[in-house]
Amino acid sequence: MKLFPWMRIAASVISPDASSETGLANVASDHPVPETIDRLESLAKSKGLTVFARIDFSGDAAKAGLEMRPTQMLIFGSPKAGTPLMLAAPSIAIDLPLKALAWQDARGSVWLSYNSPNYLKRRHGVPETLLPNIAGIKLLVEQAAR
């Protein structure tokens, strides 16, 4: 893999639990990156969620002549669920719609990562009563990864 001098690769082991510092939750996937995102997209649509975008970072890197392990993001959500959150805590709009990142690590394992709803609650001061509006991401991600 060709790297620019300013790039560094970290081959650390990923914790499956959301880090209290970063708020990232990581779930090991049983599927390759594209299939993981396909499964998540299908599940999101089946729950009536809107898929706003799918970004193929590694595909875009290849078009630019760069190599990157498989990495794709799905951006999805529901205005009906997200709008009350933004009304209560406007800064949460920086983290909405919800996002999930499927990526392959240096060892070939595939992960599905997302922002923990509890982290978003703390970060933006979201009222506890509105946490269920985004808490479903955990189950969707877990189902997509299996």
Side-chain angles (χ1 to χ4, degrees):
M1 178 181 301
K2 291 182 181 181
L3 297 174
F4 293 102
W6 47 266
M7 294 176 152
R8 293 173 51 171
I9 296 177
S12 61
V13 176
I14 304 299
S15 166
D17 298 320
S19 163
S20 61
E21 267 185 46
T22 66
L24 281 179
N26 301 291
V27 176
S29 178
D30 296 335
H31 312 282
V33 167
E35 185 178 341
T36 298
I37 291 293
D38 286 345
R39 292 169 59 85
L40 181 59
E41 183 173 1
S42 178
L43 282 165
K45 287 179 177 177
S46 76
K47 302 291 183 191
L49 300 174
T50 300
V51 173
F52 295 102
R54 181 174 178 160
I55 302 168
D56 183 352
F57 293 109
S58 49
D60 291 339
K63 290 175 189 172
L66 302 169
E67 292 181 32
M68 181 180 191
R69 287 186 295 277
T71 307
Q72 294 186 21
M73 178 183 284
L74 191 70
I75 302 172
F76 60 97
S78 162
K80 187 174 182 178
T83 302
L85 289 161
M86 289 184 244
L87 290 171
S91 66
I92 199 168
I94 195 78
D95 287 313
L96 294 179
L98 296 171
K99 299 161 198 67
L101 180 71
W103 55 284
Q104 182 179 325
D105 70 16
R107 295 182 180 142
S109 297
V110 173
W111 298 91
L112 198 47
S113 302
Y114 63 96
N115 286 318
S116 159
N118 283 321
Y119 172 77
L120 294 176
K121 175 183 171 259
R122 286 190 311 274
R123 182 176 188 201
H124 301 287
V126 172
E128 185 73 34
T129 57
L130 292 176
L131 195 57
N133 290 29
I134 54 174
I137 191 170
K138 182 180 189 295
L139 184 58
L140 283 177
V141 164
E142 290 171 350
Q143 289 176 344
R146 300 294 157 247

